[in-house]
Amino acid sequence: MLGIGDLADGVARSVETLGAQVSEAFFEPVIRLGVTGLSRAGKTVFITSLVANLLDRGRMPQLRAAQDGTIRSVFLQPQPDVTVPRFDYETHLAAMTGPAPHWPDSTRAVSELRLSFKVQSAGLMGSLRGVRTVHLDIVDYPGEWLLDLGLMEQTYEDWAAEVLGRISSRPEAAEFLARAGGVDPSGAMDEQMAKGLAESFAGYLQAARKAGWSDCTPGRFLLPGEMAGSPALTFAPLMKPAGSPARASLWREMDRRFEAYKSRVVKPFFRDHFARIDRQVVLVDALGAIHAGPRAVEDLRRAMADILSAFRPGTGSWLLSLLGAKRVERILFAATKADHLHHSQHPQLTAIVSALLREAKDRADFAGARTEAMSIASLRATVEEEIEHHGRTLPAVRGRLASGRQAAFWPGELPGDPAQLLVPARQGAEHWLDADYGAMAFLPAAIHLKPGEGPPHIRLDRAAEFLIGDRLS
Ligand code: GDP
C-alpha cells in the first residue's frame, strides 16, 4: 500500500522531470542516493560516516552548501519506505566512535535512511525562496545483487555451464564440484539432495569471496537476507544431462528454481529499489584486490564491468523497459580505505580505479550520467609518517592494530601507470612481477570529536559535493 509520503514523492519526482522549479515551489524534493559495492568494500562505514559528517559539518569544507552556510540544519527522519529495514546508523556510529572503537557489522541486505536538509541560499534569490526542505534517502544495497542482473538474460542451462566452466580449477570449489559430480541430474528430485547442493555451492561462494574472487553470483547466496532457506535460493549449477530431462528430475527442478530466483528475487529488487535511484556511489576496495594479486584485480575489473552494466541497460532489455526514461544522473566510483596510503600515493590509486572502470565506461557513457573517480577514506584510521627503510625514506601511515599496538605501514609503491597492474592482471599473471603490495587491518583510532565535527575522513566532503551538492544549492 502506498502512504501519503510515497504518493507525494512519486508526484514530486514526475513533476521534477517536467521542471524542477515547479516542483520545488510546491513539494519537498527527494534525492535517492544508492550506495553499493561488493561485500567488504566499505558501504556501512561510508554511510555511517557520511551521515555523521552531514549532521555535524565541521569537516566538510568541500561541500559548498555546508561551507557557505546554505545548509541551515540537517536532521534524521523516519524513512518513507516502511517495509525496508532502517540503516542502523546509531549502532554503527557507536561502534566506530565509542570508547573501544571497532568496525561495524557489514551490509547484509538492503536498508535505508532519510536525512532532511533545511537549506536557504544567500542573496535575493535565497530570501525570495525562503527556507526549503530537501530530503536525502540513502539506500544501501550489496553490489552482489547488481551482479545478478547478468542472470536475467541467461537460461539455467547456459548459466550452469558457464559457472561450472569458470570454477572448475578453483580449489575453493573442489568440495562442491565433487558433490555435483556425484549426483545424477536426470534422477528424481530429492529435497535433501537439492539442499545439500545449494549449501555446498553457497559455501563455495563464501570461500571464493574470502579468497578475493568477485564473480560470486547468485548474489543472495552470499547475502541471503530474509530469503535464507527458501526454495528460490535452494539450487546449484548442474550440467544438463543428455536428452530432455524428465519433468520430475533434479535438473528440471533446479531449472524451475533458477527461474523463480530471477522472477521473485532479482526482478523485485531492481523494480523496488534500483529503479528509483537518482545518484549512485560505487565503492571499490581496489587496494584489497591489489594486495590479493593480479587474478583478483582482473576478477574485480570484470565484476565492476558487470555491475556497471546495470547503469546502461541494453536496448530491448527488460531493465530498460522497467526504467523507462528514468536514469541515474551521477555515478561516483570511489576507491575506499585510502587511509592505508600516504596522500602522495592517492593519485595513483584514483588512476587505477579510473582505469579499472574505463572499459565499462567507454562502451557507453552511462546514458548521459556524470561520472567521477576518487580515492576516499570514510573513516580515517591512520596518521601519515615517514619511515626509514634500508636507507630510503618511505611515505607511510601509522595506525592501531587489533592487538592494541601501533604500527607503521608502507604498502608498496603503486605504479603511476595503471597499465603496469592491469595488463599483467588481464594476461592472467599469478603474481606481480617486481612488487608486492601489503595490507594491514587497522582499527578505528580513538577520537574525541569537538562539537560540530563529524568523524575524520579523507575526501568524503568532495564525494558529497559531487553526489548531492548541486541539489542543495
Ligand atoms: P560493507 O560490506 O561494504 O558494508 O563493508 P564495511 O563498511 O563493513 O567495511 C568493511 C571493512 O573495511 C571494515 O570492517 C574495515 O575493516 C574496512 N574499512 C571500511 N572503510 C574503511 C576506511 O575508511 N578506512 C579503513 N582503514 N578501513 C575501512
Side-chain angles (χ1 to χ4, degrees):
M1 219 182 81
L2 287 175
I4 299 290
D6 297 298
L7 284 174
D9 291 353
V11 174
R13 261 193 302 280
S14 44
V15 174
E16 267 169 58
T17 46
L18 292 175
Q21 300 293 325
V22 182
S23 82
E24 273 181 19
F26 295 98
F27 302 102
E28 296 178 346
V30 178
I31 317 166
R32 280 183 77 85
L33 170 65
V35 179
T36 199
L38 295 169
S39 167
R40 312 292 295 164
K43 300 178 287 296
T44 309
V45 178
F46 175 85
I47 296 175
T48 307
S49 186
L50 178 68
V51 170
N53 277 292
L54 288 173
L55 289 169
D56 289 304
R57 296 172 295 286
R59 287 192 215 260
M60 298 293 270
Q62 299 286 327
L63 177 62
R64 236 184 24 231
Q67 181 67 9
D68 67 14
T70 302
I71 301 176
R72 297 298 162 94
S73 62
V74 182
F75 48 98
L76 278 167
Q77 288 239 69
Q79 73 210 39
D81 297 299
V82 289
T83 57
V84 181
R86 180 176 185 274
F87 180 84
D88 195 358
Y89 166 70
E90 292 78 7
T91 306
H92 297 326
L93 185 69
M96 283 159 47
T97 60
H102 57 277
W103 298 107
D105 289 342
S106 293
T107 297
R108 315 284 315 157
V110 66
S111 69
E112 205 178 286
L113 195 69
R114 169 167 281 197
L115 269 182
S116 297
F117 295 77
K118 293 273 182 219
V119 294
Q120 182 174 28
S121 32
L124 186 62
M125 267 312 278
S127 42
L128 281 176
R129 287 162 90 187
V131 178
R132 297 172 303 127
T133 304
V134 179
H135 302 294
L136 175 66
D137 288 351
I138 302 177
V139 186
D140 174 26
Y141 65 94
E144 283 80 1
W145 294 10
L146 282 188
L147 285 179
D148 280 349
L149 183 63
L151 305 183
M152 291 305 296
E153 317 279 332
Q154 282 183 310
T155 62
Y156 173 65
E157 181 181 350
D158 296 342
W159 172 76
E162 190 200 306
V163 171
L164 291 171
R166 193 149 28 90
I167 70 179
S168 60
S169 62
R170 295 187 188 175
E172 299 84 13
E175 199 266 347
F176 166 72
L177 291 170
R179 191 185 272 257
V183 302
D184 174 12
S186 56
M189 160 67 192
D190 173 284
E191 191 57 50
Q192 282 312 311
M193 192 186 280
K195 195 162 162 254
L197 284 165
E199 281 172 4
S200 172
F201 186 58
Y204 150 69
L205 289 175
Q206 298 286 359
R209 185 71 198 101
K210 271 210 189 80
W213 297 105
S214 302
D215 56 356
C216 302
T217 54
R220 293 292 165 106
F221 279 54
L222 270 183
L223 299 161
E226 76 288 3
M227 305 211 58
S230 63
L233 262 60
T234 311
F235 66 91
L238 292 178
M239 268 306 178
K240 188 174 184 199
S244 178
R247 276 191 70 121
S249 65
L250 181 62
W251 194 88
R252 278 270 172 253
E253 182 60 18
M254 291 281 174
D255 180 13
R256 201 178 66 82
R257 291 180 180 192
F258 178 78
E259 291 302 325
Y261 182 84
K262 281 163 47 178
S263 63
R264 307 298 289 272
V265 178
V266 183
K267 252 189 188 166
F269 164 71
F270 277 91
R271 184 190 59 217
D272 301 340
H273 302 292
F274 183 77
R276 298 168 58 206
I277 285 168
D278 304 308
R279 308 284 164 104
Q280 177 70 52
V281 51
V282 180
L283 302 175
V284 191
D285 183 8
L287 283 174
I290 294 169
H291 165 67
R295 291 168 63 173
V297 167
E298 173 61 6
D299 181 53
L300 175 66
R301 186 190 64 78
R302 269 198 258 122
M304 293 317 292
D306 287 348
I307 283 184
L308 297 182
S309 61
F311 296 100
R312 44 171 180 73
T315 28
S317 65
W318 73 272
L319 184 57
L320 194 70
S321 54
L322 181 82
L323 293 175
K326 171 123 181 82
R327 284 294 178 279
V328 172
E329 301 154 339
R330 291 181 180 209
I331 311 173
L332 173 67
F333 304 109
T336 51
K337 312 177 197 182
D339 56 329
H340 285 108
L341 288 180
H342 188 275
H343 77 269
S344 56
Q345 293 218 60
H346 289 180
Q348 285 92 310
L349 181 60
T350 308
I352 289 165
V353 177
S354 306
L356 261 178
L357 301 162
R358 176 138 327 127
E359 186 196 345
K361 218 174 130 177
D362 283 354
R363 261 187 274 157
D365 201 15
F366 298 111
R370 272 188 63 188
T371 60
E372 195 162 320
M374 238 177 241
S375 298
I376 66 165
S378 311
L379 184 72
R380 180 178 198 154
T382 64
V383 291
E384 297 192 335
E385 184 176 292
E386 309 224 302
I387 54 175
E388 297 297 323
H389 185 72
H390 294 315
R392 273 178 75 194
T393 304
L394 301 176
V397 294
R398 165 180 290 276
R400 187 169 66 99
L401 301 178
S403 62
R405 208 165 50 84
Q406 291 272 331
F409 171 62
W410 182 72
E413 195 155 327
L414 294 177
D417 176 6
Q420 286 186 29
L421 295 182
L422 299 191
V423 170
R426 201 178 272 247
Q427 289 168 345
E430 291 280 336
H431 305 284
W432 301 121
L433 198 53
D434 46 19
D436 243 336
Y437 299 99
M440 197 166 265
F442 293 115
L443 286 180
I447 39 177
H448 304 284
L449 298 180
K450 294 197 203 99
E453 263 186 1
H457 62 79
I458 299 172
R459 284 186 212 97
L460 205 56
D461 50 347
R462 278 196 47 205
E465 174 65 26
F466 174 74
L467 288 167
I468 58 169
D470 61 314
R471 300 287 297 270
L472 299 174
S473 60

